[in-house]
Amino acid sequence: MPLSDFILRDATEADLPAIVEIYNATIPGRVVTADTEPVTVDSRIPWFRAHNPRTRPLWVVLDRGDVCAWLSFNSFYGRPAYNPTAEVSIYVAESHRRRGLGRELLQRAVAEAPRCEIRSLLGFIFGHNAPSLRLFQQQGFEHWGHFPRVAVLDGIERDLIIVGRRIVP
């Protein structure tokens, strides 16, 4: 299903429970996030409020009024010189995976990056997360960094791969 079959909009604080639910559903798989325990809505309020539609959007995808996916642009490293760089995160509810939503969201992120004053987009992806690595590669992201065995999930050391794409305004 193309993204045009859904509603894409800026997230509101009322969407935060659904955003957290989708995020928390990925934790047990140990493939997508370095969190090992579910996060709470309250703990994610500062993260939510760090976003803004102009330079650090947080988008939700709605299917029949329910949030089924989200994408966020997160500031990189927290210092002013890095403002033109953002980390992009994409999370899709299990019920909506393998429909092309992740691909279309990433394409939209690349297209909207210049409007957000972003010149470089980054993805932080576990080395064993082949579907996400493939998704970003298919959208023109290149291997920019490799951090071997920097995460430990259930006693297993995992690599972190940083992929990046320069955005030409």
Side-chain angles (χ1 to χ4, degrees):
M1 298 179 102
L3 192 54
S4 60
D5 290 346
F6 300 90
I7 294 172
L8 175 70
R9 64 165 171 76
D10 291 318
T12 67
E13 207 160 314
D15 297 318
L16 196 50
I19 291 168
V20 167
E21 181 179 348
I22 291 168
Y23 179 82
N24 282 341
T26 68
I27 294 172
R30 302 296 197 249
V31 176
V32 178
T33 178
D35 276 315
T36 57
E37 297 294 329
V39 301
T40 64
V41 171
D42 285 344
S43 74
R44 299 303 284 171
I45 290 173
W47 168 84
F48 176 86
R49 292 181 179 164
H51 292 86
N52 69 75
R54 192 176 70 75
T55 61
R56 292 297 182 264
L58 172 56
W59 300 325
V60 290
V61 177
L62 303 177
D63 184 12
R64 296 183 200 102
D66 294 323
V67 175
C68 63
W70 58 269
L71 178 144
S72 65
F73 285 4
N74 303 292
S75 292
F76 172 72
Y77 207 60
R79 295 197 172 87
Y82 294 112
N83 284 348
T85 300
E87 175 193 357
V88 61
S89 297
I90 300 170
Y91 287 82
V92 179
E94 178 66 35
S95 61
H96 286 72
R97 292 185 192 148
R98 291 168 293 285
R99 296 184 186 189
L101 278 177
R103 181 186 69 249
E104 290 202 32
L105 280 169
L106 190 53
Q107 288 171 347
R108 177 71 61 97
V110 169
E112 291 292 320
R115 179 189 63 77
C116 297
E117 302 173 10
I118 294 170
R119 296 181 185 176
S120 294
L121 279 175
L122 303 175
F124 290 51
I125 305 169
F126 282 132
H128 63 290
N129 185 346
S132 289
L133 289 168
R134 190 170 40 255
L135 167 67
F136 278 76
Q137 180 187 28
Q138 290 169 347
Q139 298 308 313
F141 285 73
E142 300 172 327
H143 184 113
W144 283 8
H146 180 192
F147 294 82
R149 300 178 308 278
V150 295
V152 179
L153 295 169
D154 299 330
I156 301 169
E157 293 180 319
R158 298 295 189 174
D159 296 357
L160 178 66
I161 306 298
I162 298 177
V163 295
R165 178 172 171 174
R166 285 291 293 164
I167 304 299
V168 179

